[in-house]
Amino acid sequence: MLKRLVAALTMLSLLWAQPAFAQQSILRDAETEAWFADMMAPLVKAAGLDPRNVKVVLIQDEEINAFTAGGQTIYVNSGLIFAADNANEVQGVLAHELGHVADGHVILAGEGAAGATKIALLSMVLGLAAMAAGGGAAGPGIMAAGQQAALGKYLAFSRVQESTADATGLKFLTESGITGRGLLSFFKKLQQQEYRYGVENIDPFMQSHPLSGTRIQTLTHDVQAAPAYGHTPDPKVEEQFRRIKAKLEGYSMPFERTLRDFPDTDQSIYAHYARAYAYHKGGFPDKADAEATALVRARPTDPYFLEVQGQILLEAGKPQEALRPLRAASEGSRYNPLITTTFGHALIATEDSANYPEAVRVLRTAVARDDDNPFAWQQLGTVYELTGDNARAALATAERASMTDDLRTAQASARYALANLPANTPDWLRAQDIAMASKNAQCDRNRRQRQCR
C-alpha cells in the first residue's frame, strides 16, 4: 500500500509538467518553423517576452493537443494541425499556451501538487492509525478516499490554470489585433469530440481542463467584444498554413490517403506539395521529382520548393544535381540552418574534395545559427574528418554526443579535441566546457563521487 501511495504521489506531481512523448518524434522543417515564428511574433511581443527565447516545436502525434513543459517552449502535435481548418485556429491555441508560459503555470503547478500531497499524506497517516487501532478495512478505505480527494484537488487547480490561460491568451490576441474567432471555433471542435464521446459520460470534476462548452460560454462575450473580432486573418499566414498542412499530410499520413485527398487531377500548389512528399516517402523518386519540378516551375525562387526538389534528388542518389536547388534554397532562405545543413550534406555526398571547403563553411554557418541540431554536427564532423582536421572532427562529435546524452562519447571526444587543438582558442575553450559538463553530468548520474575524481 505504501509503495502504491508513493507511486500515486509521484504521478500526481508529474501530471502537469511531464507530458508523455517518449514514443513521439520531433518534426523539424524550415518552412513550418518560420510559420510558427511569424504567427507567434505579435503574441510574444504582447506577452512582453523575448522572441529569441520562445520556441514552438512540432511533434508527430495524431492526438489533438498542444502543451508546455517548462521554460518558454510550446509543443504542438501534428494532430492539432490536421484538426484545424485555418491558421487562426492554430494561432488561438498558441496564444492559450503562451498564456501558460507568461503566467508561469508550470512553475506554479508545484503549489497545486503541494496542496494535493498534503491531503494524500494526511489520509495515509489516518489510514495507518486506523489500521493500528484494529480498524481492519477502514484503513485502506481512508487512504483510497484521500488519494481520490488529492487528485480532485489537483485537477481543480489545473482547471483554474486552464481558464486563466484562456483569458491571458485572448488578451494577447486582442493586443496584437488578431481575432479570437479561431480560438472559439477550435473549442467548438473539441466540444464536438465530447459530444461523440458522450458528455454524460464525462465527470467534469475529474478533468484537467474545463469542458469545452464551459470555455466557449466564458469566452464568447469577450471575443466578440474585442476590437479585433472582425479583423481578417493575415492572408500570408493562412497561405502558409495550407501549404504546411499539405506537406505534413504527404510526409506523415499513409501514402494511399494522401493520393486520395490530393488526386492527380488536383493541380494546385498544395496537391503538388503533398504528392511530392508522399511519392518520395513511398519510394517513387521519378514521380516525386516531377511534383517538385512542378512546384519550382510555378514559383522558381521559393526556397522551400527548391529545398524539397534538392532533398528528393539528394536522397535519390543524385547529390551533384541536388546542389543547384539546395544552394538556391540556402541563399533564398538567408541560410536557414536546416536548409543549409541539407546543402552541406549534399556537398559531402558528391564525394568531390573540391566541394569540402564550401561544406565546412555552410555547415559552420548552420551550427552557429542553430547549435541544437545533431545531424548538422554529424555532417560537420564528417567533413572535418575528410579534410584531415581530426581535432575539430572530434569536437563536432562531442557536440553531437552531448546533445544526444551520450556522455561517455562527449567526454572522450572533447578530451581528444583538447589535446590536439591550439590552447585558449574558441574551439579549445568549447571542448573544455563540454569535457567538464559531460564529466559532471556523468558523476550526477552515477552518484559515486569516487568515479569522478
Side-chain angles (χ1 to χ4, degrees), residues 272-355:
H272 286 304
Y273 222 0
R275 291 197 299 267
Y277 278 91
Y279 282 133
H280 182 49
K281 181 183 68 174
F284 299 93
D286 292 340
K287 290 186 175 182
D289 183 53
E291 297 292 350
T293 299
L295 291 170
V296 174
R297 187 183 303 115
R299 299 181 187 177
T301 61
D302 190 303
Y304 305 118
F305 292 169
L306 289 164
E307 177 197 18
V308 70
Q309 184 183 51
Q311 183 178 354
I312 288 169
L313 290 169
L314 172 61
E315 296 181 14
K318 302 175 181 178
Q320 191 66 46
E321 294 179 39
L323 295 184
R324 184 196 59 77
L326 287 175
R327 182 178 282 111
S330 297
E331 294 170 353
S333 67
R334 298 182 180 180
Y335 292 94
N336 175 279
L338 293 178
I339 296 176
T340 304
T341 296
T342 305
F343 178 37
H345 176 41
L347 288 164
I348 296 169
T350 63
E351 299 183 355
D352 182 348
S353 59
N355 288 327

Side-chain angles (χ1 to χ4, degrees), residues 403-442:
M403 68 182 62
T404 56
D405 206 31
D406 183 356
L407 299 178
R408 292 186 183 278
T409 300
Q411 190 173 350
S413 299
R415 284 179 173 175
Y416 179 89
L418 273 173
N420 292 278
L421 287 167
N424 299 316
T425 59
D427 285 342
W428 185 90
L429 292 171
R430 178 57 184 159
Q432 185 180 60
D433 288 344
I434 295 175
M436 293 178 62
S438 57
K439 177 182 176 181
N440 292 337
Q442 189 70 53

Side-chain angles (χ1 to χ4, degrees), residues 14 21 56 78 83 100 123 126 151 170 176 193 217 242 249 292 301 383-384 389 430 445:
L14 296 176
F21 50 88
V56 181
S78 56
H100 281 307
S123 69
L126 294 176
L151 180 59
L170 179 56
S176 303
Q193 283 196 327
Q217 187 176 21
R242 293 188 65 186
E249 173 163 339
T301 61
V383 74
Y384 274 140
D389 193 343
R430 178 57 184 159
R445 179 177 295 175

Side-chain angles (χ1 to χ4, degrees), residues 26-40 55-60 74 76-78 81-82 90 94 237 240-249 251 273 277 302 304 307 336 338-339:
I26 290 175
L27 300 177
R28 297 210 61 190
D29 172 70
E31 184 176 18
T32 302
E33 291 181 4
W35 175 63
F36 279 138
D38 287 345
M39 286 198 298
M40 289 294 289
K55 293 174 59 180
V56 181
V57 175
L58 181 64
I59 293 177
Q60 186 167 355
I74 297 170
V76 176
N77 285 2
S78 56
I81 304 297
F82 289 128
V90 180
L94 291 176
V237 172
Q240 287 176 305
F241 167 76
R242 293 188 65 186
R243 285 173 48 153
I244 286 163
K245 189 172 181 178
K247 73 191 291 188
L248 184 59
E249 173 163 339
Y251 175 81
Y273 222 0
Y277 278 91
D302 190 303
Y304 305 118
E307 177 197 18
N336 175 279
L338 293 178
I339 296 176

